Short mmCIF file of all heavy atoms in Angstrom, two decimals:
data_model
loop_
_atom_site.label_atom_id
_atom_site.label_comp_id
_atom_site.label_asym_id
_atom_site.label_seq_id
_atom_site.Cartn_x
_atom_site.Cartn_y
_atom_site.Cartn_z
N MET B 87 -104.99 -14.17 42.33
CA MET B 87 -106.29 -13.59 42.68
C MET B 87 -106.36 -13.32 44.17
O MET B 87 -106.85 -12.28 44.60
CB MET B 87 -107.38 -14.59 42.28
CG MET B 87 -108.77 -14.07 42.43
SD MET B 87 -109.17 -12.83 41.19
CE MET B 87 -110.64 -12.14 41.92
N LEU B 136 -100.55 -6.90 37.22
CA LEU B 136 -100.63 -8.34 37.44
C LEU B 136 -99.63 -9.06 36.56
O LEU B 136 -98.93 -9.97 36.98
CB LEU B 136 -102.03 -8.84 37.07
CG LEU B 136 -103.00 -9.03 38.21
CD1 LEU B 136 -104.30 -9.55 37.66
CD2 LEU B 136 -102.45 -9.99 39.24
N SER B 290 -89.64 -22.46 24.35
CA SER B 290 -90.09 -23.83 24.58
C SER B 290 -89.78 -24.37 25.98
O SER B 290 -90.63 -25.00 26.58
CB SER B 290 -89.56 -24.77 23.50
OG SER B 290 -88.17 -24.82 23.57
N PRO B 303 -107.39 -27.03 29.58
CA PRO B 303 -108.72 -26.65 29.12
C PRO B 303 -109.35 -27.67 28.17
O PRO B 303 -110.54 -27.62 27.92
CB PRO B 303 -108.49 -25.32 28.42
CG PRO B 303 -107.30 -24.77 29.09
CD PRO B 303 -106.46 -25.95 29.46
N ARG B 368 -167.93 -30.91 46.44
CA ARG B 368 -166.88 -31.05 47.45
C ARG B 368 -165.51 -31.17 46.79
O ARG B 368 -164.54 -30.55 47.20
CB ARG B 368 -167.15 -32.29 48.30
CG ARG B 368 -167.56 -31.96 49.73
CD ARG B 368 -167.35 -33.09 50.69
NE ARG B 368 -167.66 -34.41 50.17
CZ ARG B 368 -168.87 -34.99 50.27
NH1 ARG B 368 -169.85 -34.37 50.85
NH2 ARG B 368 -169.07 -36.20 49.77
N THR B 374 -160.19 -26.02 44.28
CA THR B 374 -160.01 -24.57 44.26
C THR B 374 -159.18 -24.12 45.46
O THR B 374 -158.38 -23.19 45.35
CB THR B 374 -161.36 -23.82 44.25
OG1 THR B 374 -162.21 -24.41 45.22
CG2 THR B 374 -162.00 -23.88 42.90
N ILE B 486 -125.77 -0.52 73.75
CA ILE B 486 -126.19 0.87 73.76
C ILE B 486 -125.85 1.49 75.11
O ILE B 486 -126.19 0.94 76.17
CB ILE B 486 -127.70 0.98 73.48
CG1 ILE B 486 -127.99 0.51 72.05
CG2 ILE B 486 -128.19 2.41 73.67
CD1 ILE B 486 -129.46 0.43 71.72
N SER B 509 -137.64 3.81 81.64
CA SER B 509 -137.08 2.48 81.85
C SER B 509 -135.95 2.27 80.85
O SER B 509 -135.84 2.98 79.85
CB SER B 509 -138.15 1.41 81.65
OG SER B 509 -138.46 1.31 80.27
N GLU B 512 -137.16 1.72 77.39
CA GLU B 512 -137.65 2.94 76.75
C GLU B 512 -136.47 3.77 76.22
O GLU B 512 -136.53 4.31 75.12
CB GLU B 512 -138.44 3.77 77.75
CG GLU B 512 -139.90 3.36 77.88
CD GLU B 512 -140.62 4.17 78.93
OE1 GLU B 512 -140.16 4.19 80.09
OE2 GLU B 512 -141.63 4.79 78.59
#
Side-chain angles (χ1 to χ4, degrees):
Chain B
M87 187 71 195
L136 261 181
S290 64
R368 250 201 321 269
T374 46
I486 295 173
S509 71
E512 276 177 304

